[in-house]
Amino acid sequence: MKRKVIAIQEWLDPDSLHQETKSWISVIEFIGDEQRFLNELVKDFTIELTQSPNFESSKRTVSELLSLERELVVMKEKVQLHGNQLKIMTDKVDQLEMESAYLKTHKKLSSQYTAYMKKYREFKTGFFKMITEQLKKRKTKKLTP
């Protein structure tokens, strides 16, 4: 005898979904500002980075920043679209398939958002290590006659 497996889906209330989506947008916008700042740091340290023995590593880091920026734009668009579709959950019309699809999309976006944040934090750690090394070298050069 085969047993049927019934998936239990967590039904989040629309307010929680809305708040989470708003939070994602806020953090995404902050990261966009932060990435513009990181680009300014790259510009400020271009000479040091190109003359560094770690040039290839620096080049990969800058390339990764550009990739993360593109990824962030796509994520922001997805989250904004998702937020705009929230009315499916609040229209007081039972559309179980559409509501279920919305929740699946929310879960998928949540996963993508979490993965991006992890990757971005790891990137920043390496980025600031690279810039800190260049700062130390810059200070050393200024202090020695």
Side-chain angles (χ1 to χ4, degrees):
M1 174 182 218
K2 289 188 178 181
R3 292 174 28 185
K4 243 186 193 180
V5 176
I6 299 173
I8 297 175
Q9 180 144 20
E10 181 180 354
W11 289 90
L12 300 174
D13 67 288
D15 286 336
S16 297
L17 294 167
H18 178 66
Q19 288 305 317
E20 188 168 32
T21 304
K22 275 179 46 178
S23 173
W24 291 345
I25 290 290
S26 177
V27 171
I28 288 169
E29 288 174 348
F30 176 80
I31 289 173
D33 291 341
E34 190 174 56
Q35 288 174 345
R36 283 186 282 287
F37 171 73
L38 298 180
N39 277 312
E40 288 300 317
L41 281 175
V42 168
K43 288 177 189 171
D44 288 348
F45 286 91
T46 297
I47 292 171
E48 289 95 334
L49 293 172
T50 56
Q51 295 174 350
S52 160
N54 299 324
F55 172 69
E56 287 302 318
S57 173
S58 300
K59 196 166 91 172
R60 279 191 303 277
T61 300
V62 171
S63 178
E64 187 177 358
L65 174 59
L66 294 173
S67 175
L68 285 165
E69 288 173 324
R70 288 189 295 273
E71 209 175 314
L72 188 70
V73 168
V74 171
M75 171 124 10
K76 183 176 181 180
E77 290 170 357
K78 285 181 180 180
V79 172
Q80 285 175 326
L81 177 63
H82 181 68
N84 293 341
Q85 294 172 342
L86 180 63
K87 61 185 154 212
I88 289 169
M89 301 297 288
T90 61
D91 63 5
K92 299 195 187 325
V93 176
D94 284 336
Q95 305 170 64
L96 295 180
E97 284 182 28
M98 289 177 73
E99 290 173 7
S100 179
Y102 182 86
L103 291 171
K104 284 179 185 172
T105 301
H106 190 84
K107 186 176 181 179
K108 183 178 176 184
L109 272 175
S110 179
S111 233
Q112 291 172 348
Y113 174 82
T114 301
Y116 180 87
M117 293 304 296
K118 182 178 188 255
K119 184 166 57 170
Y120 184 64
R121 275 192 303 276
E122 290 169 359
F123 164 79
K124 277 196 322 184
T125 300
F127 181 88
F128 284 122
K129 182 180 177 190
M130 176 186 77
I131 294 297
T132 301
E133 288 171 11
Q134 296 307 317
L135 258 175
K136 288 177 183 175
K137 289 177 186 176
R138 192 182 270 185
K139 284 183 181 179
T140 303
K141 286 181 183 176
K142 286 183 179 180
L143 292 175
T144 55

